[in-house]
Amino acid sequence: MFEAHFYTAAEETLIHPNPPSLKSTPALPKNQGQQRLFKRAVQHPRYNCYVWIWNAFGKKSDYSNTSKLHEFIHLEYKKHNNETGSIFVESSTPLLSSDTMIERLLSTTITDISPQKSDEWLHSLQNEGI
């Protein structure tokens, strides 16, 4: 079972134990929390285009019905037919940094990515102020 948690804008300032340090991470005010939500465009090293990376936290139950907090990091891109595609990684290990999980996503082969459409999509989002 999976229970997702989506936070309000005020809760997006929560601190993650190992926040991603990629250069496009926005600086956010710190408080007493233990998690940090982020969303940003990142240059994909293999496909030479921008992709959208964001995270969410949720609880996931195992077979013994024990719930653990998981971090899910998603990578979104545009396909050749202009549909949005996505892949994600998850971890329940607080010591596994977001950077490590992002690197895992960026090293995954994406067979249906359209670099041109992905760049156009992210450029249009920037024009909308996102």
Side-chain angles (χ1 to χ4, degrees), residues 23-71:
K23 62 182 178 182
S24 58
T25 302
L28 298 173
K30 296 180 179 180
N31 66 18
Q32 300 297 320
Q34 294 186 5
Q35 303 163 345
R36 179 164 178 219
L37 296 176
F38 60 86
K39 53 188 175 186
R40 65 181 183 271
V42 173
Q43 178 78 23
H44 197 289
R46 181 185 296 174
Y47 300 107
N48 198 28
C49 66
Y50 281 95
V51 293
W52 190 246
I53 299 234
W54 58 277
N55 73 337
F57 292 88
K59 291 181 181 174
K60 192 171 179 182
S61 297
D62 60 16
Y63 292 109
S64 65
N65 228 10
T66 304
S67 291
K68 284 188 176 180
L69 183 65
H70 279 240
E71 180 178 12

Side-chain angles (χ1 to χ4, degrees), residues 70-121:
H70 279 240
E71 180 178 12
F72 298 84
I73 299 183
H74 299 260
L75 180 151
E76 292 186 31
Y77 58 93
K78 284 295 184 176
K79 299 178 181 182
H80 295 285
N81 62 4
N82 213 31
E83 290 180 2
T84 302
S86 70
I87 57 175
F88 73 94
V89 293
E90 66 178 277
S91 175
S92 65
T93 307
L95 298 177
L96 185 60
S97 75
S98 296
D99 280 341
T100 302
M101 294 169 62
I102 290 170
E103 289 302 320
R104 187 181 303 165
L105 276 174
L106 293 175
S107 66
T108 302
T109 300
I110 307 172
T111 58
D112 57 352
I113 190 170
S114 168
Q116 178 184 356
K117 291 185 192 266
S118 293
D119 275 340
E120 290 168 358
W121 173 55

